């Protein structure tokens, strides 16, 4: 139905779907809070265990290889399931998939907090990730459902800010829980928040049916899962137990992943209802935005991961203190994301704002080439702010661009794929940059430099290289982004009617 109660015409083969109720109507506030909360939980749990892992390992008796897999198990299952949830929500509706995702996430959180050994914890983190794969893409898709294009810019700005905050809040909260209560609260904290989210979803989110269609592409799901699992396993094994890029434990999974990805494309081309519709990549906006999302992850992870490591290992900060010291980066990302959302809303254009943003990231990254153990915090604050201003607009602007480039029945899939490419880009960037970081530390220490100076030199090498290259490639891709004006009223959008 349209805003006056009529039914909008749908494309051939797609059922008519109701469009927006008036933005700001009854139910909008609690639903938006639920969207923000779900996204925050999913992103938070990617990083919150990092500062708690040394204590977890000491208490549960884990080995070095198992140490890494506490993080990898969550990353693996949450990354693999992101496109699946997105596509299935387009077919069956957002509400049932979101309820499944939150429930599984909370079950995994409770089990992880109660784990008695490392094997249990790794398995339960995998369960947690199976649910987390629904939270981020469906949150992004719900914004497209609930708000028209002229309003979605501001909301996407808020979502981008939440995403930025979660990356920085995770290590800080993990350190606080570990130092002052127990590492188990890094998992238990999800339960009360998640219970509120479930209540809001059940009570406030209407059940809007999806497009329906034939049975899911089970073969595509299986091949895709095997391909991405092999990729992440190969990247994770790199650096463990001395494994290099040519070690069988690394190269064999990567080769298997490449072969399986080719097989996945062949399967999807013949599938009646593909899990990742390949025809979406024929749209230049859709393709460019996903390339930029993949590359922009290098800027994001360079700042969040390696600056935190610099504060701890080059300046001797505690885990909690390093989380506080990186707040200028988080606040700049938040400001950049919100400001971009406002500008998109006012101008109904997104290209100028996302195209110019990487310049800030390049400037901040290159300035970090001057990092030493004695770099004053006031200077580093300015450098972090520039990196944040480069990343923030990409978090909100790219989402608006990709959601307005696809047919309504593919909004969930498009939102999920944007998240998927960002997470894969981050995994690849961290694997490569981790090698560079370790090499620089080893070479400087072998040259009789202090360990503190070696870590500072490694940060001064990795951050400029990783963030600047990612930002430049993203900017080059965005040059080819069509400069479209957003419609004020979008037809045939699969939206929820908020009046209950």
């Amino acid at each position: 139905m349209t805003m006056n109660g009529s039914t909008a015409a749908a494309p051939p083969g797609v059922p008519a779907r109701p469009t927006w109720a008036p933005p700001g109507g009854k139910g909008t506030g609690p639903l938006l809070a639920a969207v923000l909360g779900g996204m925050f939980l999913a992103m938070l749990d990617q990083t919150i265990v990092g500062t708690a892992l040394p204590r977890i390992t000491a208490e549960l008796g884990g080995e070095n290889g198992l140490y890494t897999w506490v993080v990898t198990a969550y990353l693996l299952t949450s990354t693999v399931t992101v496109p699946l949830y997105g596509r299935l929500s387009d077919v069956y509706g957002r509400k049932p998939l979101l309820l499944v995702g939150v429930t599984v996430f909370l079950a995994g959180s409770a089990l992880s907090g109660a784990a008695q050994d490392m094997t249990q914890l790794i398995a339960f983190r995998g369960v947690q990730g199976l649910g987390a794969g629904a939270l981020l893409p469906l949150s992004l898709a719900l914004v497209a459902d609930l708000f028209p294009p002229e309003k979605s810019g501001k909301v996407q700005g808020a979502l981008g800010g939440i995403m930025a905050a979660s990356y920085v809040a995770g290590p800080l909260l993990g350190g606080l829980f570990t130092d002052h209560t127990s590492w188990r609260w890094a998992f238990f904290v999800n339960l009360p928040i998640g219970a509120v989210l479930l209540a809001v979803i059940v009570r406030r989110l209407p059940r809007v049916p999806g497009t329906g269609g034939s049975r899911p592409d089970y073969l595509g799901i299986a091949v895709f899962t095997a391909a991405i699992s092999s990729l992440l396993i190969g990247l994770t094994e790199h650096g463990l137990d001395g494994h290099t890029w040519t070690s069988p434990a690394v190269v064999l999974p990567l080769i298997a992943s490449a072969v399986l990805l080719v097989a996945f494309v062949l399967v999807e081309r013949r599938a009646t209802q593909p899990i990742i519709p390949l025809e979406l990549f024929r749209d230049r906006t859709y393709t460019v935005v996903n390339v930029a999302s993949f590359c922009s992850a290098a800027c994001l992870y360079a700042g969040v991961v390696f600056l935190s490591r610099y504060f701890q290992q080059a300046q001797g900060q505690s885990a909690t203190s390093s989380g506080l010291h990186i707040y200028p980066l988080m606040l700049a990302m938040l400001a950049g994301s919100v400001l971009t959302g406002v500008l998109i809303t006012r101008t109904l254009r997104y290209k100028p704002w996302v195209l110019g943003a990487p310049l800030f990231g390049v400037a901040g990254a290159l300035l970090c080439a001057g990092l030493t153990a004695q770099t004053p915090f006031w200077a580093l604050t300015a450098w972090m702010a520039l990196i944040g201003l480069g990343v923030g607009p990409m978090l909100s602007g790219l989402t608006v661009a990709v959601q307005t480039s696809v047919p309504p029945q593919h909004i969930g899939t498009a939102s999920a794929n944007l998240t998927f490419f960002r997470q894969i880009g981050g995994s690849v960037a961290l694997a490569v940059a981790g090698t560079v970081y370790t090499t620089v530390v080893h070479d400087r220490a072998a040259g009789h430099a202090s360990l503190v100076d070696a870590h500072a030199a490694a940060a001064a090498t990795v951050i400029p290289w990783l963030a600047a290259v990612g930002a430049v490639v993203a900017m080059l891709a965005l040059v080819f982004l069509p400069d479209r004006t957003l419609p004020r009223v979008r037809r045939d959008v699969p939206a929820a009617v908020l009046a209950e």
Side-chain angles (χ1 to χ4, degrees), residues 1-2 28 43 64 77 124 128 130 156 199 218 236-237 244 262 340 351 354 357 361 401-402 408 431 438 469:
M1 293 200 287
T2 62
T28 304
M43 305 299 290
N64 288 336
T77 53
F124 296 151
Q128 193 183 30
L130 288 175
Q156 291 294 353
Y218 293 117
T236 300
E237 285 295 321
T244 66
V262 172
T340 299
K351 182 175 180 177
V354 296
V402 79
T438 302
V469 169

Side-chain angles (χ1 to χ4, degrees), residues 199-283:
V200 173
I201 293 167
V202 170
R203 184 174 178 81
R204 294 288 189 178
L205 183 61
R207 172 71 168 89
V208 178
T211 58
S214 58
R215 68 174 187 171
D217 175 23
Y218 293 117
L219 178 59
I221 292 172
V223 176
F224 177 79
T225 300
I228 302 306
S229 298
S230 296
L231 173 63
L232 293 178
I233 288 171
L235 293 175
T236 300
E237 285 295 321
H238 177 258
L240 292 179
D241 300 323
H243 292 159
T244 66
W245 289 112
T246 57
S247 300
V250 176
V251 73
L252 291 180
L254 294 181
I255 292 174
S257 176
V259 173
L260 287 167
L261 285 173
V262 172
F264 174 70
V265 171
L266 297 176
V267 169
E268 294 299 273
R269 290 180 64 180
R270 302 184 62 179
T272 303
Q273 191 164 295
I275 202 70
I276 298 181
L278 299 180
E279 68 268 16
L280 293 180
F281 290 95
R282 296 172 186 163
D283 183 278

Side-chain angles (χ1 to χ4, degrees), residues 56-343:
I56 292 172
T57 304
E59 288 191 18
L60 300 184
E63 302 173 355
N64 288 336
L66 296 180
Y67 180 106
T68 304
W69 273 98
V70 174
V71 177
T72 302
Y74 180 88
L75 179 64
L76 176 61
T77 53
S78 62
T79 300
V80 165
T81 54
V82 160
L84 311 185
Y85 278 115
R87 180 60 178 145
L88 293 175
S89 77
D90 283 337
V91 176
Y92 299 111
R94 312 276 186 244
K95 186 171 183 174
L97 270 299
L98 192 56
L99 288 173
V100 169
V102 175
T103 301
V104 173
F105 177 81
L106 293 180
S109 298
L111 291 169
S112 295
Q116 299 302 305
D117 57 51
M118 289 293 283
T119 302
Q120 288 183 13
L121 180 59
I122 292 168
F124 296 151
R125 282 282 283 173
V127 173
Q128 193 183 30
L130 288 175
L135 300 182
L136 183 55
L138 298 192
S139 296
L140 296 175
L142 278 170
V143 169
D145 289 350
L146 299 173
F147 296 89
E150 70 269 19
K151 298 290 185 182
S152 65
K154 287 184 179 180
V155 182
Q156 291 294 353
L159 293 181
I162 289 293
M163 193 181 302
S166 65
Y167 276 113
V168 178
L172 175 62
L173 291 176
L176 288 172
F177 286 135
T178 302
D179 292 341
H180 300 291
T181 55
S182 166
W183 60 265
R184 296 182 185 276
W185 277 100
F187 304 108
F188 290 149
V189 70
N190 297 326
L191 302 181
I193 302 174
V196 174
L197 293 182
L198 277 177
V200 173
I201 293 167
V202 170
R203 184 174 178 81
R204 294 288 189 178
L205 183 61
R207 172 71 168 89
V208 178
T211 58
S214 58
R215 68 174 187 171
D217 175 23
Y218 293 117
L219 178 59
I221 292 172
V223 176
F224 177 79
T225 300
I228 302 306
S229 298
S230 296
L231 173 63
L232 293 178
I233 288 171
L235 293 175
T236 300
E237 285 295 321
H238 177 258
L240 292 179
D241 300 323
H243 292 159
T244 66
W245 289 112
T246 57
S247 300
V250 176
V251 73
L252 291 180
L254 294 181
I255 292 174
S257 176
V259 173
L260 287 167
L261 285 173
V262 172
F264 174 70
V265 171
L266 297 176
V267 169
E268 294 299 273
R269 290 180 64 180
R270 302 184 62 179
T272 303
Q273 191 164 295
I275 202 70
I276 298 181
L278 299 180
E279 68 268 16
L280 293 180
F281 290 95
R282 296 172 186 163
D283 183 278
R284 190 170 66 181
T285 297
Y286 181 85
T287 301
V288 166
V289 166
N290 280 300
V291 170
S293 181
F294 181 94
C295 297
S296 66
C299 306
L300 178 64
Y301 284 89
V304 172
V305 174
F306 290 102
L307 280 171
S308 294
R309 193 168 183 178
Y310 163 81
F311 282 123
Q312 291 186 47
Q313 297 183 312
Q315 293 200 335
Q317 304 285 346
S318 67
T320 303
S321 179
S322 69
L324 291 172
H325 274 71
I326 206 171
Y327 259 60
L329 174 66
M330 183 272 286
L331 293 175
M333 282 197 287
L334 174 61
S337 179
V338 172
L339 178 61
T340 299
V342 171
L343 291 171

Side-chain angles (χ1 to χ4, degrees), residues 474-493:
M475 187 166 56
L476 291 175
L478 291 170
V479 168
F480 298 97
L481 186 68
D483 191 9
R484 295 172 178 168
T485 300
L486 299 179
R488 286 196 174 273
V489 177
R490 184 174 178 178
R491 299 174 182 171
D492 310 323
V493 176

